[in-house]
Amino acid sequence: MSAQKTSASRTKPVSAVGAFIGFTGFSVLAGLLVTIGVTPAIAVAGVTTTSTIGVFESLPEYIEIGKLPQRNEVLAYQGGQPVHLATVYDQNRQELKYNDMSDQLKHAAIDGEDKRFWEHGGVDMTSLLRAGVGSLAGGLGESGGGSTLTMQLVRNIKMQQALELPTQEARDKAYDDAVRQTIPRKLEEMKLAIGLAKKYSKAQILTAYLNIAYFGDQTYGVQAAAQRYYNKSATDLTPAEAASILAIVQSPNKRNLSKPENYEANVGRRDVILKSMYAEKDLTKAQLDEALAAKPADYVHLTDPTQGCKASAGNGTQYFCDYAVQVVKEMSQLGSTQKQRDAAWRNGGYTIQTSLNLDLSSAQKDLINAYAPNTEARFKLGGVIDSVETDTGRILTMAQNKNYNQLTSCTAEGADPNACAPSTDSGINLSVDQRYGGGEGFQTGSTFKPFTLLNWLQNGHGLNEIVNGTPRTYTSYPLCGAPSGTNYTPKNDSLGEGGNMTVENATYRSVNVAYVNMAQKLDYCDIRKTAEAFGIHKGSPRAPNAAFGDDMSSKSTSEIELYAGAVLGDNYISPLTMAAAYAGIANNGTFCRPIAIDNITDADGKSLGGQQKDCTQAVDPTVAKTAIYALKKVLTIGTAGGGRTPDGYDEFGKTGTTNEADQIWLIGSSTKVATATWLGNIEGKQSLRHVAGPQGLYSLSRTSLWRQAQSIVNAQYPGGQFEAPSPSDIRGNSITVPNVAGQSAEQARATLTSAGFTYVDGGTQPGGGAPGSVLSTSPGVGSALSKNSSVTVYTSDGSQSTIPEVTGKTVGSARSTLSDAGFGNVNISDEYEKGNGKNACRVAGVEPGAGTNASKDTGVTVKLYGNKNGKAPRNCR
């Protein structure tokens, strides 16, 4: 007769009133009702009179039916249409309206539980007195203590209210109070039942009762019961089915139909109800005989409830479903406070339309399984693919290689071997932050570099500016306007990388030291602000630290940590965060926060809307398109060469590899959809450069993984062309190094300083010209540099000269010219070039060749023209 508690502590049976109430107790109740004027006639009429009986008057007289907990349905898209994804509920219940309930159910409830339901005003004195007589014969039995359906509804409402209290202790106490059979409790039920009968129609009371009652096996309400036990709706039940369901309510644990051993007890009560239905002329004799002859084994068709995201439809969608449910619980449509939102979700009845595309997500799930098999036994391998729509932030896909399982890992200390998650499974959503069921995120490696690049461009720098990529040690880095001490020696990913290069070259080759040098000309706090404008934050909160330039007034922060290596991607960030950030870059620098919920519809069918599109201009569109210009080459001639999808859509991307190569990334985007792919260690530091998977070395498989993952989304979301930046956008505010060759050191210093550079003396080198004259600069003439950049000047020691051009001269003239240039060691070759009859004995060439810088004591060999046969003429020397 009641909503059943779900924990073991809540299964305390409702004891017979027996000796406690007995005949005397019910006589007292009846006498009290008569004394205060609630006679059977008055109760039938539903009218109460004023009385001086304090005990009755002090009791509450009003209770609301209210909304009952129902199922929440989560939807996704398939073939462009909304489809079922999961059913999530606190109680397995689906409310029906009065007209949608089977007439057989209504008859079974009234005829079996409360024959005078349509006549009395909430309390049936005849039944109440009969229950007292029955108690003398050994307890309440089937009399139900004289409780009408209205009184049973009161008790169920009380129990439901108890289950919604915030703590287990409070729930247990309130539940026990609701089911305790005492005279004060019975009086309260009667008075509240009379109040219900005044406020609500009989149809409303019967509907509420059939929707709230507990039918065993974690099933609430007649609709859920019909679906669970018969695999059909409660709108169309046979007399036997209806009576079997109502037979459960008085003893839900012993009479529910989930086990064949309960059938006998169920049939016993079922047949009593059927005979009552016949006695009340709600069944014909033929219908009665047919129903009595029916066996539960013939009409029971158990259907397991598909509760929760673990039972969600679709290939590997459980993690997204779990994330979406947590997002919904934070949305203002469910209430203004978290307490209100939690209560609203428990009450349920919501239909949640998510942004997930089942077609794309399923294909990407198969793909990540192929590249990162969850059966990998050598180390704890994780793999993720997330795709986000650029101009909305809608999450289209969320796939990972692990199977969804909320049990404790079998490798965890103290795990129950009979109830634990194998290594192929995980309860951690590798795509999202810790607050949504993820971990702390993963080190991003060089996929963080675009935020330094964007800040570089924001500060007026250009892609053609020269930066040095040669490894060195840094003793400080700019932090919030001041230098911060360090001792940092970054390495490049490939040995031998270094020297001067353009920023564009450093980007598509992903040269670490070049990017640290770029950051040295910026401010780490400004780089962080640029990243934050694209939603970048740590996967788990941390305590603020002044050394990182944090706001110390906060108790916790999700800001990335700032230290010398931060610009190379040492912070732990979730893949979904990175995918959304790259989507913002692709969207002309406008970042849209991730959206998982398109719409919420409440139990009444009212649309409440979804997550609002929340987009902000993170950087100027010109900055974004200039960065994209450089990042596009990553997929063609850079670290992910061959990464462009074969469909020809315009795309950019960036690779990322951690120092130990334990995390491997490739993130990229078309104009429509950004996709993040990640392979790495969930725990441990196994280098992916030393372990092969089904597609070869894990470290080398990211390019083909991303290309295929992006091809999947391009098929439904075709992109366009990114707008190219202008030459001035690419150049930025850079200035070019002037030609100071041949100038004195002082002249060169003045020239470079006036041009906006810092003069650096590189010392003397062997060279020609006057000793002390400028031989060369680094970066060279015409190089684009930012203002105040250093230019190293190398001067000549005068030990070298340039071999002059002497071709066509006579031997004597050639000797004189070479001597004037400082070359006194001149030799005539014994070999001759073929002449034309007119140029015999003239110079054909010299070695070293003309224009070569060489030491002045270098021997110069002169080769002459001979006759037409290449023989030596007479008297040439």
Short mmCIF file of all heavy atoms in Angstrom, two decimals, residues 736-769:
data_model
loop_
_atom_site.label_atom_id
_atom_site.label_comp_id
_atom_site.label_asym_id
_atom_site.label_seq_id
_atom_site.Cartn_x
_atom_site.Cartn_y
_atom_site.Cartn_z
N THR A 736 63.07 45.69 -40.65
CA THR A 736 64.08 44.87 -41.32
C THR A 736 65.49 45.35 -40.98
O THR A 736 65.74 46.55 -40.76
CB THR A 736 63.89 44.89 -42.84
OG1 THR A 736 63.94 46.26 -43.28
CG2 THR A 736 62.56 44.28 -43.22
N VAL A 737 66.38 44.38 -40.95
CA VAL A 737 67.79 44.68 -40.62
C VAL A 737 68.44 45.38 -41.82
O VAL A 737 68.42 44.86 -42.93
CB VAL A 737 68.54 43.38 -40.29
CG1 VAL A 737 70.03 43.68 -40.03
CG2 VAL A 737 67.90 42.70 -39.07
N PRO A 738 69.02 46.57 -41.61
CA PRO A 738 69.68 47.29 -42.72
C PRO A 738 71.03 46.67 -43.08
O PRO A 738 71.61 45.91 -42.31
CB PRO A 738 69.85 48.71 -42.17
CG PRO A 738 69.95 48.51 -40.69
CD PRO A 738 69.07 47.34 -40.36
N ASN A 739 71.54 47.04 -44.26
CA ASN A 739 72.85 46.54 -44.70
C ASN A 739 73.94 47.46 -44.15
O ASN A 739 74.02 48.64 -44.51
CB ASN A 739 72.90 46.53 -46.23
CG ASN A 739 74.17 45.87 -46.75
OD1 ASN A 739 75.05 45.49 -45.97
ND2 ASN A 739 74.27 45.74 -48.06
N VAL A 740 74.77 46.93 -43.26
CA VAL A 740 75.86 47.72 -42.67
C VAL A 740 77.21 47.15 -43.04
O VAL A 740 78.24 47.52 -42.46
CB VAL A 740 75.71 47.80 -41.14
CG1 VAL A 740 74.48 48.60 -40.75
CG2 VAL A 740 75.67 46.41 -40.52
N ALA A 741 77.24 46.24 -44.04
CA ALA A 741 78.50 45.62 -44.45
C ALA A 741 79.47 46.69 -44.95
O ALA A 741 79.10 47.60 -45.70
CB ALA A 741 78.26 44.59 -45.55
N GLY A 742 80.73 46.58 -44.50
CA GLY A 742 81.76 47.52 -44.90
C GLY A 742 81.85 48.74 -44.00
O GLY A 742 82.85 49.47 -44.03
N GLN A 743 80.83 48.97 -43.20
CA GLN A 743 80.88 50.13 -42.28
C GLN A 743 81.80 49.80 -41.11
O GLN A 743 82.07 48.64 -40.79
CB GLN A 743 79.47 50.45 -41.76
CG GLN A 743 78.50 50.96 -42.80
CD GLN A 743 77.15 51.33 -42.18
OE1 GLN A 743 76.97 51.30 -40.96
NE2 GLN A 743 76.20 51.70 -43.04
N SER A 744 82.24 50.86 -40.49
CA SER A 744 82.99 50.65 -39.26
C SER A 744 82.03 50.21 -38.16
O SER A 744 80.81 50.35 -38.29
CB SER A 744 83.69 51.95 -38.85
OG SER A 744 82.72 52.92 -38.45
N ALA A 745 82.56 49.69 -37.09
CA ALA A 745 81.72 49.22 -35.99
C ALA A 745 80.88 50.36 -35.44
O ALA A 745 79.69 50.17 -35.14
CB ALA A 745 82.58 48.60 -34.90
N GLU A 746 81.45 51.51 -35.30
CA GLU A 746 80.71 52.63 -34.75
C GLU A 746 79.62 53.09 -35.71
O GLU A 746 78.53 53.46 -35.30
CB GLU A 746 81.66 53.79 -34.44
CG GLU A 746 82.55 53.53 -33.22
CD GLU A 746 81.72 53.15 -31.99
OE1 GLU A 746 80.72 53.84 -31.70
OE2 GLU A 746 82.05 52.13 -31.35
N GLN A 747 79.94 53.09 -37.01
CA GLN A 747 78.92 53.45 -37.98
C GLN A 747 77.75 52.45 -37.94
O GLN A 747 76.58 52.83 -37.99
CB GLN A 747 79.53 53.50 -39.39
CG GLN A 747 80.45 54.67 -39.64
CD GLN A 747 81.14 54.59 -40.99
OE1 GLN A 747 81.47 53.48 -41.45
NE2 GLN A 747 81.36 55.73 -41.63
N ALA A 748 78.10 51.17 -37.85
CA ALA A 748 77.07 50.13 -37.80
C ALA A 748 76.23 50.26 -36.55
O ALA A 748 74.99 50.10 -36.58
CB ALA A 748 77.72 48.76 -37.86
N ARG A 749 76.83 50.56 -35.40
CA ARG A 749 76.08 50.74 -34.16
C ARG A 749 75.06 51.87 -34.33
O ARG A 749 73.89 51.73 -33.93
CB ARG A 749 77.03 51.04 -33.02
CG ARG A 749 76.33 51.21 -31.66
CD ARG A 749 77.31 51.72 -30.61
NE ARG A 749 78.38 50.79 -30.37
CZ ARG A 749 78.32 49.76 -29.50
NH1 ARG A 749 77.21 49.58 -28.80
NH2 ARG A 749 79.34 48.97 -29.33
N ALA A 750 75.51 52.98 -34.92
CA ALA A 750 74.62 54.11 -35.09
C ALA A 750 73.48 53.77 -36.05
O ALA A 750 72.31 54.13 -35.81
CB ALA A 750 75.40 55.32 -35.60
N THR A 751 73.79 53.08 -37.12
CA THR A 751 72.77 52.71 -38.11
C THR A 751 71.72 51.79 -37.51
O THR A 751 70.51 52.00 -37.68
CB THR A 751 73.42 52.02 -39.32
OG1 THR A 751 74.37 52.92 -39.92
CG2 THR A 751 72.37 51.63 -40.35
N LEU A 752 72.18 50.77 -36.79
CA LEU A 752 71.25 49.80 -36.20
C LEU A 752 70.42 50.42 -35.08
O LEU A 752 69.22 50.15 -34.95
CB LEU A 752 72.02 48.58 -35.68
CG LEU A 752 72.64 47.70 -36.77
CD1 LEU A 752 73.58 46.67 -36.15
CD2 LEU A 752 71.55 47.00 -37.57
N THR A 753 71.04 51.25 -34.26
CA THR A 753 70.31 51.87 -33.16
C THR A 753 69.22 52.79 -33.68
O THR A 753 68.09 52.79 -33.17
CB THR A 753 71.28 52.66 -32.26
OG1 THR A 753 72.27 51.76 -31.74
CG2 THR A 753 70.53 53.33 -31.12
N SER A 754 69.54 53.54 -34.70
CA SER A 754 68.55 54.45 -35.25
C SER A 754 67.40 53.68 -35.92
O SER A 754 66.27 54.19 -36.02
CB SER A 754 69.19 55.41 -36.26
OG SER A 754 69.71 54.69 -37.37
N ALA A 755 67.68 52.45 -36.37
CA ALA A 755 66.64 51.63 -36.99
C ALA A 755 65.76 50.94 -35.96
O ALA A 755 64.75 50.31 -36.32
CB ALA A 755 67.28 50.60 -37.92
N GLY A 756 66.15 51.00 -34.67
CA GLY A 756 65.33 50.41 -33.62
C GLY A 756 65.85 49.10 -33.08
O GLY A 756 65.12 48.38 -32.38
N PHE A 757 67.11 48.77 -33.39
CA PHE A 757 67.68 47.51 -32.92
C PHE A 757 68.68 47.74 -31.81
O PHE A 757 69.17 48.85 -31.60
CB PHE A 757 68.37 46.76 -34.08
CG PHE A 757 67.44 46.39 -35.19
CD1 PHE A 757 67.47 47.06 -36.41
CD2 PHE A 757 66.52 45.36 -35.02
CE1 PHE A 757 66.61 46.73 -37.43
CE2 PHE A 757 65.66 45.02 -36.04
CZ PHE A 757 65.70 45.70 -37.26
N THR A 758 69.00 46.67 -31.11
CA THR A 758 70.04 46.69 -30.09
C THR A 758 71.32 46.11 -30.69
O THR A 758 71.31 44.97 -31.17
CB THR A 758 69.61 45.87 -28.86
OG1 THR A 758 68.42 46.43 -28.31
CG2 THR A 758 70.71 45.88 -27.80
N TYR A 759 72.37 46.87 -30.66
CA TYR A 759 73.65 46.46 -31.24
C TYR A 759 74.35 45.48 -30.30
O TYR A 759 74.47 45.72 -29.11
CB TYR A 759 74.54 47.68 -31.48
CG TYR A 759 75.91 47.39 -32.03
CD1 TYR A 759 76.15 47.43 -33.40
CD2 TYR A 759 76.97 47.09 -31.19
CE1 TYR A 759 77.42 47.18 -33.92
CE2 TYR A 759 78.24 46.83 -31.69
CZ TYR A 759 78.45 46.87 -33.05
OH TYR A 759 79.72 46.62 -33.55
N VAL A 760 74.78 44.34 -30.84
CA VAL A 760 75.55 43.36 -30.08
C VAL A 760 76.85 43.09 -30.81
O VAL A 760 76.84 42.76 -32.01
CB VAL A 760 74.77 42.03 -29.90
CG1 VAL A 760 75.63 41.00 -29.15
CG2 VAL A 760 73.46 42.27 -29.15
N ASP A 761 77.97 43.28 -30.12
CA ASP A 761 79.29 43.06 -30.72
C ASP A 761 79.58 41.56 -30.78
O ASP A 761 79.72 40.90 -29.75
CB ASP A 761 80.35 43.78 -29.91
CG ASP A 761 81.72 43.73 -30.56
OD1 ASP A 761 81.87 43.04 -31.60
OD2 ASP A 761 82.65 44.38 -30.02
N GLY A 762 79.67 41.03 -31.99
CA GLY A 762 79.94 39.60 -32.15
C GLY A 762 81.42 39.30 -32.25
O GLY A 762 81.81 38.14 -32.42
N GLY A 763 82.29 40.35 -32.19
CA GLY A 763 83.72 40.12 -32.28
C GLY A 763 84.20 40.07 -33.71
O GLY A 763 83.45 40.28 -34.66
N THR A 764 85.53 39.84 -33.85
CA THR A 764 86.12 39.80 -35.19
C THR A 764 86.12 38.36 -35.71
O THR A 764 86.14 37.39 -34.95
CB THR A 764 87.55 40.34 -35.17
OG1 THR A 764 88.34 39.54 -34.27
CG2 THR A 764 87.58 41.79 -34.72
N GLN A 765 86.10 38.29 -37.05
CA GLN A 765 86.18 37.02 -37.74
C GLN A 765 87.11 37.18 -38.92
O GLN A 765 87.31 38.29 -39.43
CB GLN A 765 84.80 36.58 -38.23
CG GLN A 765 83.82 36.22 -37.14
CD GLN A 765 82.49 35.72 -37.71
OE1 GLN A 765 82.19 35.98 -38.87
NE2 GLN A 765 81.72 35.02 -36.88
N PRO A 766 87.71 36.09 -39.34
CA PRO A 766 88.54 36.20 -40.55
C PRO A 766 87.72 36.74 -41.70
O PRO A 766 86.61 36.23 -41.97
CB PRO A 766 88.98 34.75 -40.81
CG PRO A 766 88.91 34.10 -39.47
CD PRO A 766 87.73 34.74 -38.78
N GLY A 767 88.19 37.78 -42.35
CA GLY A 767 87.43 38.38 -43.42
C GLY A 767 88.24 39.40 -44.18
O GLY A 767 89.38 39.73 -43.82
N GLY A 768 87.62 39.86 -45.21
CA GLY A 768 88.30 40.83 -46.05
C GLY A 768 87.96 42.25 -45.65
O GLY A 768 87.33 42.49 -44.62
N GLY A 769 88.35 43.15 -46.52
CA GLY A 769 88.10 44.55 -46.24
C GLY A 769 89.07 45.06 -45.19
O GLY A 769 89.97 44.37 -44.71
#
